Amino acid sequence: MAKYSLRDNPLTEDPNDKLAALEDVKSLTKEEIIDRILKRGNTMTKTDLLAAINAYEEECAIITEEGSAINTPLFNTSLAIQGKFDNGDDVFDLRRHALKVNVAAGTVLKEAAGKVKLTKVQGTTTVPWITGVRDTLSDAEDRSGNLKAGSVIEVTGAKLKFDNADSEQGVFLVGGAGEIRCTQVVENKPSKVLFVLPKDTAAGSYTLEVRTKNTGNKTDGKTLKKGAFEKSVTVA
């Protein structure tokens, strides 16, 4: 079951407009998924499952490095080049162009999404709400989360402001290998945050989270609230 609430739409001037936002969404790591499989009963050991999944991930990475696409029941990928080419003789340049990995749900995830039971709840208004993520050095209209390491990233939404001096708060990228806290913050406002994505961020897909202890314009200093972008962000 998934819980959702309706919140004011910051993208329009109509005070009656609302947008739906999922509440209390739990994010599971690879190890947590393996533990769930074992609890349901499986002849494989945790070590065997982890080895098999790691081999699968490594092979998917090799396929992508070869420039090929992946088409599985779980997910589908494709590669796309972004950036402007000056003329017919121009060539790909990492300083001006980027190779992006697009990921879409496969038939298994689409069918599972169709079976989700939704329940409307009262919104947790103090939780950060992310409506868009944009690489300010790339396509100005792309707010879907295609990012380049070293760029200044813009996060828009509501209730985003945090205390950057507190290591528990801030902008975090959560991936299979752990999480990255982006410490270089350029702008920190309730409706917009600008931060620098570390140059050494590994390419791949991440969940972008804003974590804060702010409640409105004040901070209680105790309760940590998390808000995640609804789409995975892709770092090139």
Side-chain angles (χ1 to χ4, degrees):
M1 182 182 68
K3 301 176 183 178
Y4 76 95
S5 64
L6 299 183
R7 306 183 184 182
D8 293 336
N9 187 351
L11 305 178
T12 70
E13 297 181 357
D14 188 341
N16 296 317
D17 273 2
K18 302 292 181 182
L19 288 178
L22 292 171
E23 300 279 352
D24 301 326
V25 178
K26 185 178 181 180
S27 178
L28 300 179
T29 65
K30 177 168 59 178
E31 287 74 17
E32 289 172 331
I33 293 173
I34 290 174
D35 289 339
R36 286 170 62 105
I37 294 174
L38 293 172
K39 285 181 180 179
R40 288 205 310 270
N42 194 288
T43 58
M44 298 178 69
T45 66
K46 183 172 184 177
T47 301
D48 292 336
L49 282 170
L50 186 58
I53 293 174
N54 285 342
Y56 182 84
E57 292 174 343
E58 290 172 4
E59 197 60 35
C60 286
I62 293 172
I63 292 170
T64 302
E65 289 176 7
E66 292 172 348
S68 299
I70 298 171
N71 184 5
T72 73
L74 194 62
F75 65 91
N76 304 308
T77 70
S78 63
L79 298 176
I81 295 176
Q82 293 185 342
K84 178 184 176 183
F85 289 79
D86 296 332
N87 51 56
D89 295 324
D90 199 1
V91 296
F92 184 89
D93 185 342
L94 279 173
R95 294 171 297 181
R96 298 179 289 120
H97 310 119
L99 184 64
K100 303 291 185 179
V101 180
N102 298 317
V103 182
T107 55
V108 169
L109 292 182
K110 288 180 179 178
E111 290 174 4
K115 298 177 182 178
V116 174
K117 296 180 179 180
L118 294 169
T119 300
K120 185 178 179 181
V121 297
Q122 185 67 33
T124 310
T125 57
T126 58
V127 173
W129 185 29
I130 302 172
T131 57
V133 178
R134 180 175 70 90
D135 187 329
T136 63
L137 303 183
S138 299
D139 187 349
E141 300 302 320
D142 184 2
R143 295 183 176 274
S144 62
N146 291 312
L147 314 177
K148 186 174 181 180
S151 290
V152 176
I153 309 303
E154 178 189 73
V155 179
T156 52
K159 313 292 184 182
L160 302 177
K161 187 175 176 63
F162 53 85
D163 180 2
N164 199 41
D166 182 352
S167 62
E168 291 187 337
Q169 303 183 53
V171 180
F172 293 79
L173 294 183
V174 183
E179 63 182 35
I180 302 167
R181 181 172 183 260
C182 303
T183 58
Q184 192 172 349
V185 178
V186 180
E187 186 173 335
N188 185 3
K189 295 181 178 179
S191 61
K192 183 172 72 173
V193 170
L194 290 174
F195 70 94
V196 178
L197 184 61
K199 290 184 178 180
D200 59 355
T201 302
S205 295
Y206 296 86
T207 297
L208 187 146
E209 293 183 351
V210 171
R211 302 176 187 175
T212 180
K213 295 177 182 176
N214 282 357
T215 303
N217 295 323
K218 299 180 180 180
T219 176
D220 59 21
K222 297 179 181 179
T223 305
L224 185 67
K225 307 170 187 67
K226 300 180 182 180
F229 189 40
E230 62 181 0
K231 303 176 182 177
S232 294
V233 299
T234 303
V235 177

